[in-house]
Amino acid sequence: LVQNLKSIFFPQNVFADRSCWDFSNFNSVRLSKEYMDSALRQQTNILNLYKQRLELIVKLCRQSGISPVFMTQPCIAGDSMQECIKPSVDFHEFMNHENAQLFWLKLRMYNEVTKRVALISGVPCIDLATKMPKDPVYFYDLIHFTNEGARKVAEIVDDGLTNFLAEKYSAYLKHREQQNPIESALLATK
């Protein structure tokens, strides 16, 4: 109760202290292949439950006349980490005994399930994890975005949704001529 009251009256500003996600100076943690393989194997049951939840979401959305769109979760760490960041963010300490590389490998497993369920279900999926640049300009920490990152995400989502929405809801598509008949008439006279 005291902790809840404290957080209400003295909320933390997560953006005030960037020391834990300083992308140029941090505690580096290297994990053995055995540890990483074991940690990834432990995800199997959870991934199956995650897949079932996604399938249920698709079913419930369709029963309610909703067209779901899936999106993968990007992470600054991972296979195509920018070389300009030294030391590599992949080895950034995470959760006191793991690193960002292991976090990304786990997250990538969930992203793969998301894409697979989308494909099988015929649900559009924006692969934000692949399209989002792994650049500290865009990330506050491993997965959360800075303001610049939020703008980049909006661009990627806009690109991914435009064709889907135009095709799926073409009856609602307003052509430029319909939006501004005066400008259309002026263009026609030129």
Side-chain angles (χ1 to χ4, degrees):
L1 175 65
V2 172
Q3 186 65 30
N4 286 339
L5 289 173
K6 180 182 173 191
S7 66
I8 290 170
F9 291 108
F10 304 102
Q12 288 183 334
N13 180 351
V14 296
F15 296 101
D17 179 19
R18 288 192 51 114
S19 62
C20 68
W21 285 105
D22 178 351
F23 290 122
S24 60
N25 182 22
F26 52 79
N27 291 334
S28 183
V29 174
R30 303 227 178 220
L31 302 172
S32 70
K33 181 175 177 1
E34 294 78 23
Y35 181 90
M36 291 180 68
D37 289 344
S38 172
L40 294 174
R41 277 192 305 274
Q42 291 174 14
Q43 300 302 304
T44 304
N45 290 336
I46 302 168
L47 286 167
N48 288 330
L49 294 172
Y50 177 68
K51 177 181 177 277
Q52 291 171 12
R53 285 193 299 272
L54 288 179
E55 291 168 341
L56 180 60
I57 288 170
V58 171
K59 179 182 174 186
L60 293 173
C61 284
R62 289 187 170 150
Q63 286 175 349
S64 300
I66 298 168
S67 299
V69 176
F70 286 170
M71 201 173 326
T72 58
Q73 174 64 53
C75 175
I76 192 168
D79 353 78
S80 59
M81 186 58 230
Q82 284 194 355
E83 290 297 318
C84 65
I85 306 169
K86 301 291 183 203
S88 175
V89 173
D90 287 358
F91 303 107
H92 197 303
E93 183 177 25
F94 182 69
M95 303 289 288
N96 296 326
H97 64 282
E98 293 189 351
N99 63 23
Q101 180 185 36
L102 179 57
F103 177 82
W104 167 243
L105 292 172
K106 289 178 184 178
L107 181 59
R108 192 170 64 180
M109 293 168 75
Y110 287 88
N111 285 338
E112 290 303 317
V113 170
T114 301
K115 291 189 288 187
R116 193 169 34 250
V117 170
L119 181 66
I120 291 168
S121 304
V123 170
C125 183
I126 299 169
D127 193 1
L128 192 57
T130 301
K131 295 180 180 180
M132 186 70 179
K134 293 178 179 287
D135 188 325
V137 168
Y138 298 129
F139 288 88
Y140 172 74
D141 60 18
L142 274 182
I143 60 171
H144 297 100
F145 308 116
T146 61
N147 289 339
E148 295 85 359
R151 281 189 279 281
K152 186 67 175 174
V153 168
E155 286 174 22
I156 295 167
V157 171
D158 179 57
D159 288 344
L161 280 180
T162 300
N163 291 337
F164 164 73
L165 293 174
E167 185 178 306
K168 178 86 175 163
Y169 301 102
S170 60
Y172 299 100
L173 185 64
K174 293 184 179 181
H175 297 285
R176 184 180 173 116
E177 297 83 27
Q178 294 171 332
Q179 289 178 344
N180 192 340
I182 296 171
E183 185 179 354
S184 297
L186 290 171
L187 290 172
T189 59
K190 290 186 177 180

